[in-house]
């Protein structure tokens, strides 16, 4: 425990580390705000305030779908004479209404969406569109029918604010910032001491290498957990303030981005899982970096190994097709764990 506190003391008393974390936190906030506001599309769509405002009005409407349809019809009818109520110009207001209409339609048409997936899988099996020797392909379609059949009786989903959670899931800026901080902490606690010879001096003492390694690894784990909670927590607070999240007891299938999932989870449970997955992935990356720096003595090889390992993971993710025989290397992958696909999509991974 003494070594743990000594190693922890090195971090929180180091001005360079604290300044770097503060700078990255500020950079993450600026870039995340821009991406959240632009809808992760690189251009202005509609304001987050207008999005929240229209959903507040929909709470008092007996037929929200009809309410939005009338709003869109009014824009078409009045054309140049139309005076926007929510946005600064008619085009932005039209995009706002269209986005909300699409979200409501996705919720009301959930049963049809699931039935189409089941019908497509049945057609693929019954019409022999998969070669008979492709056993995984056949089992995959059978598993799709089995999983989605559990949701086939659900005709619709409760509507509510979706945009906030969608941009939160898609945001990769925070992933990059957290990775930089983990790398910075690892370099400071391990690589710097190895370069100066301190690390190898400790290894010559009685049980010094094991206790020191465990202490450094534990400090980095705690630091990773704190960084993930602070950075991703601030993102969640930001999107909730901008767009709102709505009723968190809704099933995750009420979010258009997540309606392909077959998991029985509420939005609140899903957010908890996102946080846990980010923290666990941080632990995984940290362990990769830590092991490389502890085991490799030469400075240049130490960094090349770390970069090569993550570069290889990224290459595997993008080079392997979704339905390849090697898709396990695509999805059981450190880089893939950072991507939103595993959290939002439906994948049957061919294991054994």
């Amino acid at each position: 425990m003494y070594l743990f506190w000594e190693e922890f003391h090195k971090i929180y008393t180091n001005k360079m580390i604290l300044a770097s974390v503060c700078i990255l936190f500020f950079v993450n906030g600026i870039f995340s705000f821009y991406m959240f506001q632009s809808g992760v599309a690189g251009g202005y769509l509609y304001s987050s305030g207008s999005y929240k405002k229209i959903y507040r009005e929909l709470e008092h409407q007996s037929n929200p779908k009809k309410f939005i349809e009338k709003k869109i019809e009014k824009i078409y009818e009045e054309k140049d004479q139309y005076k926007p109520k929510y946005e600064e110009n008619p085009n932005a207001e039209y995009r706002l209404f269209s986005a909300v209409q699409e979200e409501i339609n996705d919720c009301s048409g959930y049963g049809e969406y699931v039935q189409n997936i089941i019908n497509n899988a049945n057609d693929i099996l019954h019409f022999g569109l998969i070669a008979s020797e492709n056993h995984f392909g056949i089992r995959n379609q059978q598993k799709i029918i089995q999983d989605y059949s559990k949701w086939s009786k659900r005709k619709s989903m409760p509507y509510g604010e979706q945009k906030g959670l969608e941009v939160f899931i898609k945001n990769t800026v925070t992933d990059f910032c957290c990775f930089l901080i983990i790398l910075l902490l690892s370099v400071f606690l391990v690589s710097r001491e190895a370069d100066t010879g301190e690390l190898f001096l400790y290894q010559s003492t009685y049980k010094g290498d094991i206790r020191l390694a465990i202490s450094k690894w534990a400090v980095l784990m705690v630091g990773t957990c704190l960084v993930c909670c602070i950075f991703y927590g601030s993102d969640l607070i930001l999107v909730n303030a901008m767009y709102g999240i709505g009723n968190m007891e809704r099933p995750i299938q009420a979010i258009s981005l997540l309606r392909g999932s077959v998991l029985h989870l509420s939005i609140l449970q899903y957010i908890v899982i996102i946080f846990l997955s980010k923290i666990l992935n941080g632990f995984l990356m940290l362990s990769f970096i830590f092991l490389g720096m502890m085991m490799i003595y030469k400075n240049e090889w130490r960094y090349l190994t770390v970069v090569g390992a993550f570069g290889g993971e990224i290459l595997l993710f993008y080079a392997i097709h979704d339905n390849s025989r090697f898709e396990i290397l695509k999805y059981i992958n450190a880089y893939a764990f950072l991507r939103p696909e595993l959290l939002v999509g439906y994948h049957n991974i061919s294991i054994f």
Side-chain angles (χ1 to χ4, degrees), residues 99-292:
V100 174
Q101 183 184 47
E102 184 178 354
E103 291 174 0
I104 294 175
N105 288 340
D106 286 345
C107 289
S108 61
Y110 177 76
E112 184 180 353
Y113 166 79
V114 170
Q115 196 58 50
N116 285 336
I117 293 176
I118 295 173
N119 292 341
N120 288 337
N122 276 320
D123 290 343
I124 290 172
L125 288 175
H126 293 162
F127 292 104
L129 299 179
I130 298 178
S132 58
E133 63 270 14
N134 186 358
H135 299 295
F136 172 71
I138 294 173
R139 293 199 310 274
N140 181 38
Q141 297 304 317
Q142 292 171 340
K143 189 71 167 62
I144 288 173
I145 296 171
Q146 176 185 343
D147 289 341
Y148 279 100
S149 293
K150 300 172 184 177
W151 291 94
S152 59
K153 294 180 181 179
R154 190 74 182 256
K155 301 303 178 185
S156 63
M157 288 289 170
Y159 73 92
E161 297 95 321
Q162 303 184 20
K163 193 70 174 178
L165 192 58
E166 286 188 1
V167 295
F168 172 72
I169 293 171
K170 290 181 179 180
N171 182 29
T172 55
V173 174
T174 307
D175 295 331
F176 181 70
C177 289
C178 288
F179 174 77
L180 285 180
I181 294 175
I182 292 170
L183 182 61
L184 177 65
L185 293 177
S186 301
V187 169
F188 177 75
L189 276 186
V190 182
S191 182
R192 186 182 63 83
E193 291 187 357
D195 294 340
T196 59
E198 292 178 52
L199 191 62
F200 306 111
L201 180 63
Y202 296 144
Q203 290 177 354
S204 64
T205 62
Y206 177 66
K207 293 184 179 181
D209 54 344
I210 297 176
R211 291 177 179 176
L212 184 67
I214 292 174
S215 298
K216 287 182 179 293
W217 185 73
V219 168
L220 290 172
M221 293 275 276
V222 172
T224 298
C225 187
L226 290 174
V227 166
C228 288
C229 288
I230 292 170
F231 275 67
Y232 291 108
S234 63
D235 282 356
L236 190 63
I237 292 171
L238 183 60
V239 296
N240 186 43
M242 292 176 66
Y243 293 99
I245 298 178
N247 182 7
M248 299 181 75
E249 296 301 320
R250 289 177 295 161
I252 58 174
Q253 288 76 11
I255 307 294
S256 298
L257 184 67
L258 305 176
R259 67 175 183 160
S261 174
V262 294
L263 300 175
H264 291 266
L265 295 171
S266 68
I267 291 176
L268 177 60
Q269 292 171 328
Y270 188 75
I271 290 173
V272 172
I273 287 176
I274 289 177
F275 271 83
L276 290 176
S277 68
K278 297 295 185 181
I279 292 171
L280 290 174
N281 190 58
F283 290 168
L284 177 63
M285 291 190 297
L286 159 67
S287 299
F288 259 125
I289 297 169
F290 183 80
L291 184 63

